[in-house]
Amino acid sequence: MSDANKTHIRIFDTTLRDGEQSPGATLNFGEKLEIARQLETLGVDVIEAGFPITSQGDFESVKAIGAELQRAVVCGLARCVPRDIDRAGEALQGANNPRIHVFCATSKIHREKKLKKPIDEIIRISIESVKQARQYTDNVEFSPEDGSRTELSVLVDITGAAVEAGATTINIPDTVGYAVPDEYGHIFAYMRDQLPQLDANDVYLSAHCHNDLGLAVANSLSAVQNGARQVECTINGIGERAGNASLEEVVMAMRTRADFFDRFDLGINAKKIYPLSRMVSSMTGLMVQRNKAIVGENAFAHEAGIHQDGMLKHRDTYEIMNPSAVGVPDSKLVLGKHSGRHAFRERVEHLGYTVDDETLQKAFDEFKALADKKKDVYDEDIEAILDQQLESSRQLWELVRFQVTSGTGVIAMATVVLRDATDTERMAAATGDGPIDAMYSAMQQITGVQTTLKDFHTRAITAGKDAQGEAAISVNHSGRLVNGRGWSTDVVEAAARAYLSALNRIRTTERKEVSATSPEDSEEPVSQP
Ligand code: KIV
Ligand code: ZN
């Protein structure tokens, strides 16, 4: 089919909103801005940048992202509550391409048990909310939350009403990841059949799928085959519970199976996928599982002899995509002791990082120090150096030095020195159940932040005895899960850095209120959908 006749499928990225709802995945202002910039470069059509009513941080990031981005539509989420919509409208006031996304639950169980409102009332509130949002922008999306479990007749009624009130996109969320592909696709076909005004008014239908049954991508693709023209997804598939549909999987499924998706086109520059996947993983502290499709470490690894043999004879025997098509670097062995600053900068850019000169210089110094210790320096080493630099640049506390003693039959002890934001060095010593426990206790004494360690693991990021170690931890702080990562050739130091990164995150990101569920304009805290 010629390009001119193809239907453009909008990619709506919600990494910064639904994705950030993954336990522990708190992002600060600078991180959100950087991810948004990279999403625009990737070519996504819409970026859901946050839920402005939930926190000042979300408000500020929606505002900054909306004002900076030139091409992508920037969207703020709001319940069907007047103050939510005003807050989203205010955040988007200076945006180049604003959208307000309002949602209200519609399924029987949500109507009866959560909202305790009849459907007529819910339709009325939804109409008023869409109209209110239209006062701020003519780009308004409406979502009947738990749409896939809503009676089709109710979906038709509420959607028709929302369109008449001015909604330009209708999103049907599979909020709890319950739908199966045929069923979900049927909803879209049915809606288009029953509501000819959708096509007549160029209203976009949109899919938003959660992955509780591992069907988020399959459901999204089924929606596209049945008339959805927007897919909502996240980088690495992060999101509430089992996550959202993964952007890279949706995009590469449609591209690789162009025979099935020939009628559609996407504006995505797929080569940016891998670097952005790494960035999101590093900033959220959510590791990508090794066997994750498209961006996992093993996604293009061929282990079985038969496969390796086939690959050597012809790549297409066992490879359906070329790794370079999604930006996976061909070779991972890159630089050594004698590599210069220029080569280092090029490699950094190739890996998808945009860093200022000062950070680059510090990273280069680190690289030189590492190259002195290590024979081969791989991409993963360079990424670790950069991630560590970026992590340090947003820290309130910095690690100056530490010393630990431990062994069989002795009580582990640690002395730690941290530098605070006023440049003052502070020291504490503690004993513990092993060197890491002792070190973490000393750091808690210095920072005054009490946490419980929930998860701790380390791994070598490249092969060999001289490899760098990565420590990844999750801590609980007053009921909130926060992740941290650290890197070093010394695994105890990596553990210290990981803990410090979590402590810094606790201090530099806000907690979002999550409890009330009513769409009334109450003074209750806001619930995340
Ligand atoms: O999953 C959901 O229902 C949502 C809505 C806000 C679209 O995230
Ligand atoms: Zn969702």
Side-chain angles (χ1 to χ4, degrees):
M1 185 182 273
S2 82
D3 281 359
N5 294 326
K6 292 192 179 190
T7 303
H8 179 71
I9 302 296
R10 285 183 184 155
I11 295 293
F12 174 117
D13 181 275
T14 182
T15 305
L16 301 178
R17 200 279 298 170
D18 225 338
E20 209 215 4
Q21 283 174 219
S22 312
T26 328
L27 293 162
N28 65 28
F29 177 83
E31 290 166 334
K32 287 187 180 175
L33 202 60
E34 189 53 33
I35 291 174
R37 288 179 186 135
Q38 299 304 325
L39 284 168
E40 186 168 63
T41 323
L42 176 68
V44 306
D45 300 273
V46 188
I47 296 171
E48 188 161 58
F51 193 174
I53 193 77
T54 56
S55 71
Q56 187 62 24
D58 260 37
F59 178 86
E60 297 297 345
S61 38
V62 171
K63 189 171 169 171
I65 293 168
E68 179 174 321
L69 298 193
Q70 297 295 324
R71 189 195 49 78
V73 169
V74 175
C75 176
L77 184 66
R79 292 176 305 170
C80 282
V81 171
R83 67 193 165 103
D84 279 39
I85 299 164
D86 285 340
R87 196 75 178 137
E90 279 164 37
L92 289 163
Q93 226 150 36
N96 295 309
N97 300 296
R99 174 184 292 186
I100 297 179
H101 176 188
V102 291
F103 73 97
C104 190
T106 52
S107 63
K108 192 160 183 285
I109 185 158
H110 279 236
R111 295 194 309 263
E112 288 175 1
K113 307 286 182 213
K114 186 178 90 169
L115 303 180
K116 299 188 173 36
K117 289 193 189 305
I119 187 61
D120 293 352
E121 178 69 357
I122 289 171
I123 294 181
R124 187 188 60 74
I125 294 169
S126 302
I127 293 173
E128 279 170 14
S129 301
V130 170
K131 285 187 176 161
Q132 188 189 344
R134 281 291 304 230
Q135 287 166 11
Y136 289 98
T137 167
D138 56 10
N139 192 341
V140 173
E141 174 167 333
F142 174 73
S143 289
E145 190 192 2
D146 205 15
S148 61
R149 291 197 300 170
T150 300
E151 306 91 309
L152 285 172
S153 61
V154 170
L155 269 189
V156 167
D157 288 349
I158 196 157
T159 300
V163 169
E164 209 174 306
T168 46
T169 299
I170 297 290
N171 179 46
I172 311 289
D174 182 27
T175 305
V176 290
Y178 181 74
V180 294
D182 282 355
E183 174 193 33
Y184 192 62
H186 174 67
I187 298 176
F188 288 80
Y190 186 82
M191 300 273 284
R192 288 186 68 208
D193 184 57
Q194 298 291 307
L195 293 168
Q197 63 266 46
L198 293 175
D199 286 342
N201 294 313
D202 201 25
V203 172
Y204 271 64
L205 281 180
S206 164
H208 176 112
C209 299
H210 282 269
N211 207 27
D212 301 65
L213 294 174
L215 292 171
V217 171
N219 285 337
S220 304
L221 297 176
S222 172
V224 167
Q225 295 283 24
N226 284 283
R229 287 191 290 158
Q230 173 176 286
V231 177
E232 304 198 351
C233 43
T234 59
I235 300 289
N236 298 338
I238 63 171
E240 192 78 32
R241 307 181 309 278
N244 288 61
S246 127
L247 180 147
E248 58 278 8
E249 292 176 27
V250 170
V251 167
M252 291 317 287
M254 290 185 66
R255 195 150 287 178
T256 309
R257 295 309 308 270
D259 49 339
F260 261 86
F261 295 96
D262 180 41
R263 292 178 288 136
F264 310 107
D265 79 12
L266 298 167
I268 298 293
N269 175 5
K271 281 195 181 302
K272 302 275 176 194
I273 284 179
Y274 182 74
L276 187 48
S277 156
R278 304 287 297 205
M279 179 181 286
V280 168
S281 168
S282 151
M283 288 182 177
T284 56
L286 296 174
M287 281 190 178
V288 174
Q289 78 197 50
R290 272 178 185 258
N291 61 329
K292 162 88 176 62
I294 321 292
V295 291
E297 216 171 305
N298 293 353
F300 298 100
H302 300 272
E303 186 71 12
I306 281 187
H307 291 208
Q308 289 174 350
D309 178 58
M311 283 286 291
L312 289 173
K313 289 179 174 140
H314 198 295
R315 277 187 95 114
D316 292 356
T317 49
Y318 286 101
E319 201 167 80
I320 59 164
M321 291 167 278
N322 191 326
S324 68
V326 290
V328 174
D330 300 338
S331 139
K332 301 214 164 189
L333 175 62
V334 280
L335 304 175
K337 202 169 158 163
H338 303 293
S339 306
R341 205 168 173 280
H342 182 68
F344 182 73
R345 176 190 279 279
E346 268 193 353
R347 203 63 206 167
V348 167
E349 282 166 7
H350 181 85
L351 289 169
Y353 289 80
T354 40
V355 289
D356 57 35
D357 286 347
E358 194 190 331
T359 312
L360 188 86
Q361 185 55 50
K362 284 189 188 155
F364 183 64
D365 294 344
E366 286 289 320
F367 157 72
K368 281 289 186 191
L370 183 68
D372 271 341
K373 284 195 228 162
K374 234 174 151 278
K375 201 166 127 279
D376 298 324
V377 178
Y378 296 85
D379 276 351
E380 286 89 340
D381 292 315
I382 296 177
E383 284 173 340
I385 291 172
L386 287 160
D387 289 344
Q388 189 72 73
Q389 282 304 324
L390 292 171
E391 192 68 56
S392 309
S393 65
R394 7 171 225 271
Q395 298 210 339
L396 293 177
W397 292 291
E398 208 182 303
L399 180 66
V400 180
R401 60 184 177 275
F402 73 92
Q403 194 178 8
V404 287
T405 47
S406 76
T408 13
V410 290
I411 294 173
M413 197 171 146
T415 309
V416 179
V417 180
L418 301 182
R419 187 176 296 117
D420 69 15
T422 64
D423 230 13
T424 313
E425 287 191 6
R426 296 167 64 192
M427 182 167 82
T431 54
D433 193 4
I436 291 176
D437 186 41
M439 201 166 57
Y440 285 6
S441 295
M443 288 163 95
Q444 290 194 18
Q445 278 180 40
I446 299 175
T447 59
V449 181
Q450 300 302 315
T451 63
T452 322
L453 190 62
K454 285 284 166 206
D455 198 11
F456 176 96
H457 50 265
T458 54
R459 66 175 187 129
I461 57 172
T462 52
K465 223 159 63 69
D466 58 359
Q468 284 204 89
E470 176 184 77
I473 64 161
S474 291
V475 297
N476 188 318
H477 175 252
S478 311
R480 174 166 77 129
L481 206 60
V482 180
N483 296 335
R485 286 214 274 178
W487 299 265
S488 170
T489 44
D490 173 340
V491 80
V492 182
E493 184 177 329
R497 293 192 180 281
Y499 191 56
L500 198 57
S501 108
L503 294 177
N504 278 309
R505 250 164 223 279
I506 288 168
R507 282 289 180 253
T508 55
T509 54
E510 280 172 277
R511 178 195 187 89
K512 295 184 193 179
E513 295 291 355
V514 280
S515 70
T517 48
S518 166
E520 287 160 356
D521 193 4
S522 67
E523 289 310 307
E524 303 255 7
V526 174
S527 96
Q528 308 270 15

